[in-house]
Amino acid sequence: MSVSAKWLNKVKWDEHGLVPVIAQEVGTNDVLMFAWMNREALEKTITSGEAIYWSRSRKKLWHKGEESGHTQKVHEVRLDCDEDVVLLKVEQVGAIACHTGRHSCFFQKFEGDVKEGDWQTVEPVLKDPQTFYK
Amino acid sequence: MSVSAKWLNKVKWDEHGLVPVIAQEVGTNDVLMFAWMNREALEKTITSGEAIYWSRSRKKLWHKGEESGHTQKVHEVRLDCDEDVVLLKVEQVGAIACHTGRHSCFFQKFEGDVKEGDWQTVEPVLKDPQTFYK
């Protein structure tokens, strides 16, 4: 089903046929989440204009927001110098990217020293996940 | 040599003992690069205050900027909701993160449609790499 486009061939897919993807919010430049795409996911992201990832746990395409409604409208797709990492610049619908109901998935911050330090939650839950997952 | 700290055990290292790492610039919030860390790299990043990655190609620790001088001073270390991705907020010395002499590694932008589109270089080279690599 996949097109044999030159731009898709330029991406260096890993041994599982995947590429790491960073989703960054347009405007704030906040890093929202990290996920993976296979060839079909990247192609469908371009054609649909919404972020479609590959779920490694469920082993299927994952249209981000399909359950929660928190879809991502894709403004830009970028590729890094080694052609093995993709960066999406997205508009985050509902301002919530994380399944915990937070804006970004990166809400745990390391505080303290190397021996006694730990990860601390430093970002608020904006919406109870029970309200957007069935 | 690694400390057996609780915070290091909380990170879900992959089957190769690695975790993906996103480096984001403090201030601009630009995503500069993507790399990997093993346990020792993350520990040394915390103790040294500079980004130390694991080079998968060279199979050794990689103190970012060791050759180019473009080190990264780490202001914050974050972990995502699944505890399997790290985000560094860094001050990029020399304003150049990419080995091509560009600010960010993500300088190729997809333009066009799914069939005829391609990756276009949209960011300038700030400094000739020959001036900072021997």
Side-chain angles (χ1 to χ4, degrees):
Chain A
M1 293 289 278
S2 203
V3 298
S4 66
K6 194 176 85 174
W7 68 275
L8 277 168
N9 294 338
K10 202 176 180 191
V11 177
K12 289 188 190 122
W13 307 97
D14 73 7
E15 68 273 28
H16 307 291
L18 302 177
V19 72
V21 183
I22 302 160
Q24 182 182 29
E25 189 175 48
V26 166
T28 63
N29 263 354
D30 288 339
V31 174
L32 297 174
M33 57 177 280
F34 172 90
W36 297 83
M37 283 186 184
N38 63 6
R39 196 177 162 101
E40 191 183 358
L42 182 51
E43 187 190 328
K44 284 192 192 303
T45 294
I46 294 288
T47 50
S48 71
E50 298 205 341
I52 296 174
Y53 302 105
W54 175 256
S55 168
R56 295 187 305 169
S57 55
R58 289 178 287 159
K59 292 181 175 46
K60 61 172 192 171
L61 289 180
W62 164 39
H63 182 171
K64 164 73 183 160
E66 59 195 3
E67 282 187 63
S68 64
H70 300 145
T71 53
Q72 296 176 331
K73 294 184 184 171
V74 176
H75 286 229
E76 267 188 43
V77 182
R78 297 231 179 176
L79 188 63
D80 79 334
C81 51
D82 294 329
E83 277 112 24
D84 60 2
V85 185
V86 166
L87 174 69
L88 298 184
K89 301 205 181 187
V90 305
E91 182 186 333
Q92 178 60 60
V93 172
I96 294 172
C98 186
H99 75 287
T100 63
R102 293 181 177 86
H103 178 56
S104 160
C105 293
F106 295 91
F107 58 82
Q108 302 185 89
K109 180 181 170 186
F110 180 78
E111 292 184 352
D113 66 22
V114 73
K115 283 189 180 169
E116 304 291 337
D118 207 352
W119 306 100
Q120 305 292 342
T121 294
V122 294
E123 305 291 346
V125 172
L126 301 178
K127 204 169 174 181
D128 182 344
Q130 291 191 331
T131 65
F132 53 81
Y133 290 119
K134 290 149 207 159
Chain B
M1 290 290 277
S2 200
V3 298
S4 66
K6 193 177 86 176
W7 68 276
L8 278 168
N9 294 338
K10 201 177 180 190
V11 177
K12 289 188 189 122
W13 308 96
D14 73 7
E15 68 273 30
H16 307 291
L18 302 177
V19 70
V21 183
I22 302 160
Q24 182 181 29
E25 189 175 47
V26 167
T28 63
N29 263 354
D30 287 340
V31 174
L32 297 174
M33 56 176 283
F34 173 90
W36 296 83
M37 284 185 184
N38 63 6
R39 195 177 162 102
E40 191 184 356
L42 182 52
E43 186 190 329
K44 284 191 191 308
T45 294
I46 293 288
T47 51
S48 71
E50 297 205 341
I52 295 174
Y53 302 105
W54 175 256
S55 168
R56 295 187 304 168
S57 55
R58 291 179 286 159
K59 293 182 175 46
K60 61 172 192 171
L61 289 180
W62 163 39
H63 183 172
K64 164 72 182 159
E66 59 195 0
E67 283 187 62
S68 64
H70 299 145
T71 52
Q72 295 176 333
K73 295 184 182 169
V74 176
H75 286 229
E76 267 188 41
V77 182
R78 296 230 179 179
L79 188 64
D80 79 334
C81 51
D82 294 328
E83 278 114 24
D84 61 2
V85 185
V86 167
L87 174 70
L88 298 184
K89 302 206 181 186
V90 304
E91 184 186 332
Q92 178 61 60
V93 172
I96 294 173
C98 187
H99 75 286
T100 64
R102 292 181 176 85
H103 178 57
S104 160
C105 293
F106 295 92
F107 58 82
Q108 302 185 87
K109 180 180 170 185
F110 181 78
E111 292 183 353
D113 66 21
V114 72
K115 283 190 180 167
E116 304 292 336
D118 207 352
W119 306 100
Q120 305 292 342
T121 295
V122 294
E123 306 290 347
V125 172
L126 302 178
K127 203 169 177 183
D128 182 344
Q130 291 190 332
T131 66
F132 54 83
Y133 290 118
K134 291 150 208 160

